[in-house]
Amino acid sequence: MLSTQEFLSSCRPCLGTSRKTHVFRRRSSDWICRRRSSSISGMAPPILSLALPSETGRVLSIQSHTVQGYVGNKSAVFPLQLLGYDVDPIHSVQFSNHTGYPTFKGQVLNGQQLCDLIEGLEANNLLYYTHLLTGYIGSVSFLNTILQVVEKLRSINPNLIYVCDPVMGDEGKLYVPSELVSVYREKVVPVASMLTPNQFEAEQLTGFRIGSEADGREACKILHAAGPAKVVITSINIDGNLFLIGSHQKEKGQSPEQFKIVIPKIPAYFTGTGDLMTALLLGWSNKYRDNLDIAAELAVSSLQVVAKGIEFLTSYFH
């Protein structure tokens, strides 16, 4: 049986990645949250924590987790690993199943508990990340702590790429507290590198109704003006047609490069597809940094393969 390292190494030639080892040292800076006096000092970090694939990176993924089913980190971590990334997941919630079921049980991580985890990583020189990925956040206090995490990670690596999926709702309905909308709009969007809302979430963030492809392109421009260089509205449904609008503003003040991808509809119900889509956009856009359109095409095609596979298996076994 192959070890994890052997398995990932065997994947890299197929994915066009190479392996070089770089050692990074943490910049000294004070963590915003309260420091603990108890820390392990004088111990060298594990070698694997310092090994950074030259064409990929290390991702801190803060999202939901379910024991059964594939949403949040369960949809994002493995695909990113297959693309060659080192992924460290923090579960914003841990539930028995997703909340679409009649009932669910579990735990919700609070802001101080998130601080504790970040402090533990920092105490052992393990807080160097190239990417931060966030998904479902259930409270304003936790979202405000995420902002502290962004600031902390960028104090260590100023080139940190923050990919934010502003999970707030869909099909005209919010499924998070309404107070989160203004926090996302006023505080989170300005610090994000890439934003991946769906149609409803883009409307909430811009205050602009999206009723056409042109509206989608205009919404992307509004979001660029607020901060992120890359915006992908992952699903726009108009008159029964499903498509994606992507936009990359390579320099502030310049007109963004925009594109549209038509998405074939699959007659089935899925959960976690948005989480998977954002993870794939992170993975491929880092490999095609100046070609968001290519990255989005690869992400959409990968998602379609997964969805069609699930549809086939579901129909086969029923």
Side-chain angles (χ1 to χ4, degrees):
M1 180 178 292
L2 292 176
S3 68
T4 301
Q5 187 63 27
E6 290 170 334
F7 171 70
L8 292 176
S9 297
S10 69
C11 291
R12 287 195 179 91
C14 301
L15 296 169
T17 60
S18 61
R19 178 117 187 151
K20 295 180 182 177
T21 300
H22 298 271
V23 176
F24 296 87
R25 290 183 173 82
R26 175 174 59 92
R27 287 174 51 184
S28 60
S29 56
D30 293 330
W31 170 228
I32 312 165
C33 300
R34 181 164 58 91
R35 292 298 305 270
R36 297 279 191 264
S37 59
S38 59
S39 62
I40 301 173
S41 59
M43 291 181 63
I47 295 299
L48 281 177
S49 72
L50 300 177
L52 181 67
S54 61
E55 295 179 10
T56 53
R58 296 188 67 215
V59 181
L60 179 63
S61 179
I62 305 177
Q63 300 194 63
S64 61
H65 170 80
T66 59
V67 176
Q68 192 281 332
Y70 290 86
V71 299
N73 274 325
K74 282 185 73 175
S75 287
V77 172
F78 184 58
L80 283 170
Q81 289 173 329
L82 287 180
L83 288 172
Y85 293 83
D86 216 0
V87 188
D88 294 341
I90 292 178
H91 303 324
S92 57
V93 301
Q94 178 171 259
F95 290 154
S96 55
N97 44 266
H98 71 72
T99 56
Y101 283 88
T103 186
F104 63 93
K105 299 287 185 179
Q107 301 80 39
V108 178
L109 197 72
N110 64 40
Q112 184 55 55
Q113 290 168 329
L114 175 59
C115 284
D116 291 342
L117 293 173
I118 297 298
E119 288 176 8
L121 291 169
E122 184 186 23
N124 293 287
N125 291 345
L126 300 175
L127 205 55
Y128 185 95
Y129 290 97
T130 58
H131 297 76
L132 171 66
L133 171 61
T134 61
Y136 175 79
I137 305 297
S139 70
V140 170
S141 61
F142 194 89
L143 187 55
N144 281 324
T145 305
I146 292 288
L147 290 164
Q148 296 179 12
V149 173
V150 174
E151 184 177 345
K152 178 61 181 176
L153 295 181
R154 282 187 172 151
S155 74
I156 297 171
N157 176 18
N159 296 318
L160 176 87
I161 297 171
Y162 175 26
V163 178
C164 173
D165 183 5
V167 180
M168 295 184 290
D170 200 1
E171 297 179 347
K173 295 181 180 180
L174 284 172
Y175 40 70
V176 297
S178 59
E179 294 84 0
L180 263 72
V181 176
S182 61
V183 179
Y184 271 113
R185 184 190 302 126
E186 298 167 13
K187 298 180 179 180
V188 179
V189 172
V191 300
S193 309
M194 178 191 289
L195 201 67
T196 63
N198 59 31
Q199 180 179 356
F200 174 71
E201 291 158 348
E203 291 175 338
Q204 293 295 306
L205 293 173
T206 61
F208 184 80
R209 185 181 179 279
I210 300 173
S212 66
E213 177 184 339
D215 290 341
R217 293 176 183 269
E218 184 61 29
C220 288
K221 292 178 182 179
I222 294 172
L223 292 169
H224 283 312
K230 295 179 180 178
V231 177
V232 179
I233 304 179
T234 54
S235 59
I236 297 177
N237 195 338
I238 296 174
D239 298 329
N241 299 310
L242 185 65
F243 58 92
L244 167 156
I245 293 290
S247 187
H248 186 186
Q249 187 179 48
K250 296 184 177 180
E251 296 290 340
K252 279 294 182 184
Q254 289 186 357
S255 296
E257 297 178 4
Q258 298 187 321
F259 57 90
K260 167 188 172 182
I261 298 177
V262 176
I263 303 173
K265 282 190 173 183
I266 298 175
Y269 176 76
F270 301 97
T271 57
T273 50
D275 305 320
L276 174 57
M277 182 65 181
T278 296
L280 291 168
L281 283 168
L282 184 160
W284 287 116
S285 67
N286 197 52
K287 294 173 183 291
Y288 295 92
R289 297 189 182 190
D290 293 324
N291 300 100
L292 183 60
D293 54 340
I294 295 176
E297 286 178 1
L298 289 165
V300 170
S301 61
S302 299
L303 183 59
Q304 285 284 306
V305 169
V306 172
K308 287 180 180 178
I310 294 172
E311 180 197 23
F312 170 77
L313 291 172
T314 301
S315 62
Y316 181 82
F317 287 107
H318 286 80

